[in-house]
């Protein structure tokens, strides 16, 4: 029996060549096609909006708690708490990019939030939408430009402060030189910081 076509939604990861001279714009309406392994039929997906893909790759992750830095897995298969199991204001996640050129002017980050026990799963994995944390929290993004912290403007946050899977898009400063978070031992690279400015989660988000 033939079924009518349905609209599906997936998160796709784009990678720019490490040798790309600048970030690459993937425009709204860009199409990706593949064969369904079950039916053998061609399945086509289309981007809902434009995204910017940075050259290089995510090379390191650090969780900061005061002056203490903890290395986190970057293999993509191990879940972790970016702000600890019980996040408090001031705790931060550092993302190190091994890029020969500074990304920009925008950066799109796909963030997959794991389902929590006793809570609905993210809509992207077939569950229900989670409610934003109460009271509201503020997550602030910035880059480490050499030795200086420079704010990055949040253009959109589909994750609603890490409560569901989605994309965070940032407008980056014009300058973003390599550096190293003071006392972290994380290495010289381009570092992006997500910091909990105020508020608290009932349970720490897990990525």
């Amino acid at each position: 029996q033939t079924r009518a076509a349905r609209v599906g939604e997936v998160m796709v990861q784009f990678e720019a060549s490490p040798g790309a001279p600048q970030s690459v714009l993937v425009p709204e309406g860009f199409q990706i096609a593949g064969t369904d392994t079950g039916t053998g039929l061609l399945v086509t997906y289309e981007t809902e909006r434009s995204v910017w893909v940075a050259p290089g790759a995510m090379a390191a992750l650090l969780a900061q708690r005061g002056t203490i830095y903890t290395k986190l897995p970057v293999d993509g298969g191990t879940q972790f708490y970016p702000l600890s199991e019980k996040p408090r204001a001031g705790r931060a996640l550092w993302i190190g990019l091994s890029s020969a050129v500074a990304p920009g002017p925008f950066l799109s980050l796909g963030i997959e939030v794991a389902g929590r026990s006793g809570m609905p799963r993210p809509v992207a994995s077939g569950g229900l939408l989670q409610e934003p944390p109460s009271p509201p929290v503020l997550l602030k993004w910035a880059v480490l430009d050499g030795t200086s912290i420079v704010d990055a403007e949040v253009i959109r946050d589909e994750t609603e402060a890490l409560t569901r899977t989605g994309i965070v898009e940032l407008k980056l400063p014009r300058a973003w030189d390599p550096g190293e978070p003071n006392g972290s031992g994380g290495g010289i690279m381009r570092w992006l910081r997500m910091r909990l400015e105020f508020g608290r989660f009932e349970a720490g988000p897990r990525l």
Side-chain angles (χ1 to χ4, degrees), residues 111-199:
I111 299 178
E112 185 174 352
V113 180
R116 302 176 191 162
S117 177
M119 298 183 67
R121 290 182 299 156
V123 66
S125 61
L128 302 173
L129 289 177
Q130 298 179 13
E131 293 297 324
S134 179
V137 303
L138 174 62
L139 297 175
K140 193 171 184 178
W141 292 81
V143 305
L144 180 64
D145 179 26
T147 59
S148 302
I149 297 292
V150 183
D151 290 343
E153 180 184 352
V154 178
I155 302 300
R156 74 173 186 273
D157 179 9
E158 295 178 349
T159 73
E160 295 287 347
L162 301 185
T163 58
R164 57 179 67 100
T165 294
I167 293 175
V168 174
E169 184 176 347
L170 306 172
K171 183 178 181 181
L172 301 174
R174 291 186 177 182
W176 185 5
D177 289 334
E180 182 179 26
N182 187 32
S184 69
I188 303 293
M189 60 186 78
R190 300 185 197 276
W191 288 97
L192 179 69
R193 186 186 73 176
M194 178 189 70
R195 186 174 187 268
L196 177 57
E197 288 294 303
F198 66 79

Side-chain angles (χ1 to χ4, degrees), residues 60-140:
L61 289 172
L62 297 173
Q64 181 185 6
R65 181 178 179 179
T67 59
I68 300 174
Y69 292 84
T70 304
K71 291 184 179 181
L72 299 174
V74 293
D75 57 15
T78 304
Q79 295 181 355
F80 60 88
Y81 292 94
L83 302 170
S84 79
E85 293 188 52
K86 296 182 179 180
R88 297 293 183 269
R91 298 185 183 178
L93 172 70
W94 290 85
I95 303 171
L97 304 179
S98 60
S99 176
V101 297
F106 300 93
L107 179 64
S108 304
L109 300 170
I111 299 178
E112 185 174 352
V113 180
R116 302 176 191 162
S117 177
M119 298 183 67
R121 290 182 299 156
V123 66
S125 61
L128 302 173
L129 289 177
Q130 298 179 13
E131 293 297 324
S134 179
V137 303
L138 174 62
L139 297 175
K140 193 171 184 178

Side-chain angles (χ1 to χ4, degrees), residues 1-24:
Q1 183 179 358
T2 303
R3 297 182 179 180
R6 297 180 298 173
V7 176
E9 183 175 294
V10 298
M11 181 179 290
V12 177
Q13 177 178 321
F14 292 99
E15 292 185 7
S17 169
Q22 60 188 20
S23 294
V24 179

Side-chain angles (χ1 to χ4, degrees), residues 6-8 29-36 41-47:
R6 297 180 298 173
V7 176
F30 182 84
Q31 293 188 339
I32 306 168
T35 303
D36 185 285
L41 299 177
L42 183 67
V43 179
T44 303
Y45 289 95
E46 184 176 284
T47 54

